[in-house]
Amino acid sequence: MQGRVEPTPEVFGRDSELAALRGLVAADRRAGAVLLAGAAGIGKTALWEAGLEMARAAGRFVLAARPAGTEAGMAFAGLIDLCDPVGPEDLADLPAPQRSALEVALLRAEPLRGAAPGPHAIALAFLNVLRGMAAGQPLVVAVDDLPWLDPLSVSALTFAARRLRDEPVAFLLARRPGSPSPLELVLAPERLEVGALDTNALRRLLASRLAMFPSRVLLRRIVDVSQGNALFALELGRSVRRGGVPAGNPDMILPTSVEDALGARAVALIPGVRRLLLAVAPHQRPHSRNARGRRRTGHRRRRVRRRRAGPRRIQGAGIPSPPGGRSGEPVRTAGASRGARRYRGCGR
Ligand SMILES: Nc1ncnc2c1ncn2[C@@H]1O[C@H](COP(=O)(O)OP(=O)(O)OP(=O)(O)O)[C@@H](O)[C@H]1O
Ligand SMILES: [Mg+2]
């Protein structure tokens, strides 16, 4: 049995990161854990997917989850994804209370006498599934965007990770900068900082994804403005296309932030779709009450700093003017919500 195989786009550059991932999943290495850490759009998922592909090629069985912010409140959503390729035969040897607890958590069975199983039974069953499967084939347990894993799945994974010893189970995690998950504290993974892509990698990325072959000068501009961020570079490439600017024109105006580049795309959507996206976009990231509290404090501090700093200049490249101001004109944004500020002007 093998995990779901999806075509993975080619990864450009990243030689040292790919070597570390190859080492993690190598057949002669039993356990181990790697965390891919880096900014939004920098290329963590691209590497994470490459790691899964290497794992499969090295004969490992892959259990993977890519949680989304909108699913962080769904009980065991991550565990369900991780166990998607786990069949009834993998559960057959579990003691009955564990098997039934896991089957209920995975929404494969009704709760016995209507009572929800306890988290301990579920986590223990998951641990024993990992042990049983790893006895037949080395495993990789992989979670992208770790902060969006629902808390019950985090607990089950952390419980299992704490108890795995010599079993051939490797962990591959990815997340943006922020506070570590309890799972990381247990695994103490090798941390790979995913940084800027170099010019050659960005050139190949633009060529393969957009069939774009910019002049040296324009490529330099894209590298400088994107600071090696893959997603941003792709958006800049699309902006060049949309603007109909000849790819050799070095004087063209490029959006100066990824929000500006993406905002220009949002503006191009039909109004209904745009309004819907703008309504849901600010709610993407789940946060605990504590995080909300910290964020509120942070907002207050930033508001005070902004008031002291005076009006803020909004770069207008590719973005329609914000309400009450012309593009590039100083406007005050204090008082608007974070989401509203980020998506300013796009909803019109
Ligand atoms: N080294 C690379 N080679 C080829 N394509 C890449 C590379 N790095 C990133 N990309 C592409 O750039 C885009 C953004 O990368 P990716 O989704 O991996 O970023 P990310 O760090 O996971 O962002 P987020 O934090 O938002 O999840 C994707 O389309 C991805 O396939
Ligand atoms: Mg990602």
Side-chain angles (χ1 to χ4, degrees):
M1 194 172 65
Q2 182 53 278
R4 199 170 34 227
V5 181
E6 282 164 9
T8 308
E10 192 179 354
V11 171
F12 304 116
R14 306 292 191 208
D15 292 346
S16 60
E17 292 89 344
L18 290 172
L21 294 177
R22 208 169 287 117
L24 174 74
V25 301
D28 57 353
R29 176 153 172 200
R30 291 179 68 78
V34 163
L35 170 73
L36 299 164
I42 200 75
K44 301 177 296 297
T45 299
L47 278 167
W48 182 85
E49 285 176 340
L52 301 195
E53 198 160 85
M54 287 183 214
R56 292 185 182 106
R60 287 191 182 250
F61 189 85
V62 172
L63 303 179
R66 291 188 60 184
T70 47
E71 295 163 10
M74 295 179 187
F76 294 115
L79 199 64
I80 289 172
D81 287 346
L82 286 170
C83 292
D84 187 49
V86 174
E89 68 281 8
D90 299 307
L91 309 183
D93 290 341
L94 291 175
Q98 292 180 35
R99 187 173 64 246
S100 114
L102 187 58
E103 283 174 342
V104 171
L106 299 181
L107 304 180
R108 297 182 188 182
E110 294 287 346
L112 285 179
R113 288 177 292 281
H120 185 196
I122 296 164
L124 187 59
F126 179 60
L127 167 65
N128 284 326
V129 166
L130 293 181
R131 282 178 172 152
M133 293 177 79
Q137 187 180 359
L139 298 181
V140 169
V141 176
V143 182
D144 192 10
D145 290 321
L146 190 55
W148 291 340
L149 194 63
D150 64 280
L152 288 168
S153 297
V154 172
S155 300
L157 258 179
T158 307
F159 178 94
R162 193 190 297 284
R163 285 161 181 79
L164 288 169
R165 289 277 172 268
D166 295 330
E167 297 86 347
V169 181
F171 286 82
L172 177 54
L173 311 172
R175 67 164 169 83
R176 293 179 188 172
S179 37
S181 132
L183 179 61
E184 285 171 67
L185 299 178
V186 165
L187 288 171
E190 177 190 351
R191 187 182 165 105
L192 294 184
E193 293 294 344
V194 184
L197 278 174
D198 63 26
T199 304
N200 191 38
L202 284 179
R203 184 182 56 71
R204 294 172 70 197
L205 178 66
L206 293 169
S208 88
R209 290 294 179 81
L210 305 180
M212 183 179 179
F213 306 92
S215 67
R216 279 227 324 262
V217 177
L218 178 59
L219 180 61
R220 188 71 257 153
R221 290 283 300 277
I222 292 177
V223 171
D224 286 349
V225 174
S226 69
Q227 295 184 19
N229 183 296
L231 177 71
F232 193 3
L234 286 170
E235 288 306 323
L236 291 173
R238 291 189 180 105
S239 297
V240 171
R241 282 261 187 79
R242 262 193 315 273
V245 178
N249 180 358
D251 297 324
M252 63 166 301
I253 297 168
L254 289 176
T256 52
S257 73
V258 76
E259 283 90 350
D260 282 357
L262 288 169
R265 265 175 100 180
V267 166
L269 295 170
I270 58 170
V273 174
R274 187 168 65 227
R275 269 197 302 278
L276 178 67
L277 285 176
L278 290 168
V280 297
H283 306 293
Q284 259 293 309
R285 188 189 294 268
H287 26 259
S288 64
R289 252 182 227 142
N290 279 348
R292 268 199 293 269
R294 279 198 300 277
R295 185 165 293 160
R296 267 200 293 272
T297 315
H299 275 171
R300 237 171 271 135
R301 277 199 212 111
R302 278 195 295 279
R303 229 179 3 241
V304 170
R305 269 206 302 273
R306 262 202 308 274
R307 246 183 246 134
R308 285 183 191 147
R312 175 173 172 191
R313 184 171 291 277
I314 291 184
Q315 297 292 331
I319 288 274
S321 54
R326 281 205 314 277
S327 179
E329 198 177 60
V331 290
R332 279 194 185 278
T333 53
S337 74
R338 183 168 182 250
R341 273 202 311 281
R342 179 175 296 168
Y343 303 99
R344 63 189 171 252
C346 297
R348 306 190 322 150

mmCIF file of all heavy atoms in Angstrom, residues 109-125:
data_model
loop_
_atom_site.group_PDB
_atom_site.id
_atom_site.type_symbol
_atom_site.label_atom_id
_atom_site.label_comp_id
_atom_site.label_asym_id
_atom_site.label_seq_id
_atom_site.Cartn_x
_atom_site.Cartn_y
_atom_site.Cartn_z
ATOM 1 N N ALA A 109 -16.601 4.978 11.909
ATOM 2 C CA ALA A 109 -17.554 4.158 12.674
ATOM 3 C C ALA A 109 -18.357 5.055 13.591
ATOM 4 O O ALA A 109 -17.911 6.152 13.957
ATOM 5 C CB ALA A 109 -16.796 3.112 13.494
ATOM 6 N N GLU A 110 -19.534 4.563 13.954
ATOM 7 C CA GLU A 110 -20.374 5.278 14.920
ATOM 8 C C GLU A 110 -19.777 5.102 16.312
ATOM 9 O O GLU A 110 -19.218 4.032 16.613
ATOM 10 C CB GLU A 110 -21.793 4.669 14.936
ATOM 11 C CG GLU A 110 -22.577 4.842 13.658
ATOM 12 C CD GLU A 110 -23.057 6.277 13.476
ATOM 13 O OE1 GLU A 110 -23.003 7.055 14.438
ATOM 14 O OE2 GLU A 110 -23.463 6.602 12.350
ATOM 15 N N PRO A 111 -19.912 6.101 17.186
ATOM 16 C CA PRO A 111 -19.450 5.909 18.566
ATOM 17 C C PRO A 111 -20.248 4.803 19.260
ATOM 18 O O PRO A 111 -21.446 4.672 19.011
ATOM 19 C CB PRO A 111 -19.707 7.257 19.237
ATOM 20 C CG PRO A 111 -20.250 8.162 18.203
ATOM 21 C CD PRO A 111 -20.485 7.403 16.936
ATOM 22 N N LEU A 112 -19.551 4.029 20.101
ATOM 23 C CA LEU A 112 -20.238 2.960 20.838
ATOM 24 C C LEU A 112 -21.188 3.581 21.855
ATOM 25 O O LEU A 112 -20.781 4.462 22.614
ATOM 26 C CB LEU A 112 -19.215 2.093 21.581
ATOM 27 C CG LEU A 112 -18.396 1.116 20.729
ATOM 28 C CD1 LEU A 112 -17.416 0.349 21.595
ATOM 29 C CD2 LEU A 112 -19.337 0.159 19.992
ATOM 30 N N ARG A 113 -22.384 3.121 21.887
ATOM 31 C CA ARG A 113 -23.425 3.645 22.788
ATOM 32 C C ARG A 113 -23.462 5.175 22.770
ATOM 33 O O ARG A 113 -23.691 5.836 23.785
ATOM 34 C CB ARG A 113 -23.208 3.129 24.223
ATOM 35 C CG ARG A 113 -23.535 1.638 24.374
ATOM 36 C CD ARG A 113 -23.238 1.126 25.765
ATOM 37 N NE ARG A 113 -21.808 1.105 26.057
ATOM 38 C CZ ARG A 113 -20.972 0.163 25.630
ATOM 39 N NH1 ARG A 113 -21.436 -0.857 24.919
ATOM 40 N NH2 ARG A 113 -19.702 0.205 25.923
ATOM 41 N N GLY A 114 -23.108 5.738 21.649
ATOM 42 C CA GLY A 114 -23.220 7.190 21.472
ATOM 43 C C GLY A 114 -22.162 8.002 22.193
ATOM 44 O O GLY A 114 -22.154 9.227 22.118
ATOM 45 N N ALA A 115 -21.238 7.314 22.923
ATOM 46 C CA ALA A 115 -20.247 8.072 23.706
ATOM 47 C C ALA A 115 -18.996 8.312 22.870
ATOM 48 O O ALA A 115 -18.452 7.375 22.271
ATOM 49 C CB ALA A 115 -19.898 7.294 24.977
ATOM 50 N N ALA A 116 -18.526 9.567 22.827
ATOM 51 C CA ALA A 116 -17.311 9.885 22.066
ATOM 52 C C ALA A 116 -16.111 9.251 22.754
ATOM 53 O O ALA A 116 -16.022 9.244 23.989
ATOM 54 C CB ALA A 116 -17.128 11.386 21.995
ATOM 55 N N PRO A 117 -15.179 8.667 22.008
ATOM 56 C CA PRO A 117 -14.009 8.056 22.635
ATOM 57 C C PRO A 117 -13.087 9.109 23.228
ATOM 58 O O PRO A 117 -13.061 10.252 22.770
ATOM 59 C CB PRO A 117 -13.330 7.346 21.458
ATOM 60 C CG PRO A 117 -13.789 8.063 20.241
ATOM 61 C CD PRO A 117 -15.155 8.604 20.546
ATOM 62 N N GLY A 118 -12.320 8.700 24.231
ATOM 63 C CA GLY A 118 -11.401 9.634 24.876
ATOM 64 C C GLY A 118 -10.165 9.867 24.018
ATOM 65 O O GLY A 118 -9.767 8.999 23.228
ATOM 66 N N PRO A 119 -9.524 11.015 24.182
ATOM 67 C CA PRO A 119 -8.329 11.339 23.389
ATOM 68 C C PRO A 119 -7.173 10.375 23.641
ATOM 69 O O PRO A 119 -6.367 10.113 22.749
ATOM 70 C CB PRO A 119 -7.969 12.765 23.836
ATOM 71 C CG PRO A 119 -8.757 13.038 25.064
ATOM 72 C CD PRO A 119 -9.928 12.102 25.074
ATOM 73 N N HIS A 120 -7.113 9.804 24.860
ATOM 74 C CA HIS A 120 -6.022 8.889 25.171
ATOM 75 C C HIS A 120 -6.111 7.636 24.305
ATOM 76 O O HIS A 120 -5.117 7.191 23.710
ATOM 77 C CB HIS A 120 -6.067 8.545 26.664
ATOM 78 C CG HIS A 120 -4.910 7.693 27.095
ATOM 79 N ND1 HIS A 120 -4.893 7.004 28.264
ATOM 80 C CD2 HIS A 120 -3.731 7.410 26.490
ATOM 81 C CE1 HIS A 120 -3.759 6.334 28.370
ATOM 82 N NE2 HIS A 120 -3.033 6.567 27.313
ATOM 83 N N ALA A 121 -7.317 7.079 24.227
ATOM 84 C CA ALA A 121 -7.498 5.851 23.431
ATOM 85 C C ALA A 121 -7.177 6.114 21.961
ATOM 86 O O ALA A 121 -6.553 5.290 21.278
ATOM 87 C CB ALA A 121 -8.930 5.346 23.585
ATOM 88 N N ILE A 122 -7.574 7.278 21.480
ATOM 89 C CA ILE A 122 -7.334 7.611 20.071
ATOM 90 C C ILE A 122 -5.824 7.756 19.816
ATOM 91 O O ILE A 122 -5.276 7.219 18.840
ATOM 92 C CB ILE A 122 -8.076 8.918 19.700
ATOM 93 C CG1 ILE A 122 -9.579 8.712 19.825
ATOM 94 C CG2 ILE A 122 -7.703 9.387 18.299
ATOM 95 C CD1 ILE A 122 -10.389 9.993 19.852
ATOM 96 N N ALA A 123 -5.150 8.494 20.700
ATOM 97 C CA ALA A 123 -3.713 8.730 20.510
ATOM 98 C C ALA A 123 -2.935 7.422 20.616
ATOM 99 O O ALA A 123 -1.997 7.171 19.841
ATOM 100 C CB ALA A 123 -3.219 9.732 21.554
ATOM 101 N N LEU A 124 -3.334 6.567 21.565
ATOM 102 C CA LEU A 124 -2.645 5.279 21.733
ATOM 103 C C LEU A 124 -2.852 4.404 20.500
ATOM 104 O O LEU A 124 -1.920 3.744 20.018
ATOM 105 C CB LEU A 124 -3.191 4.587 22.986
ATOM 106 C CG LEU A 124 -2.484 3.302 23.415
ATOM 107 C CD1 LEU A 124 -1.004 3.565 23.693
ATOM 108 C CD2 LEU A 124 -3.154 2.714 24.661
ATOM 109 N N ALA A 125 -4.072 4.426 19.985
ATOM 110 C CA ALA A 125 -4.348 3.643 18.777
ATOM 111 C C ALA A 125 -3.497 4.156 17.618
ATOM 112 O O ALA A 125 -2.924 3.366 16.857
ATOM 113 C CB ALA A 125 -5.831 3.739 18.430
#
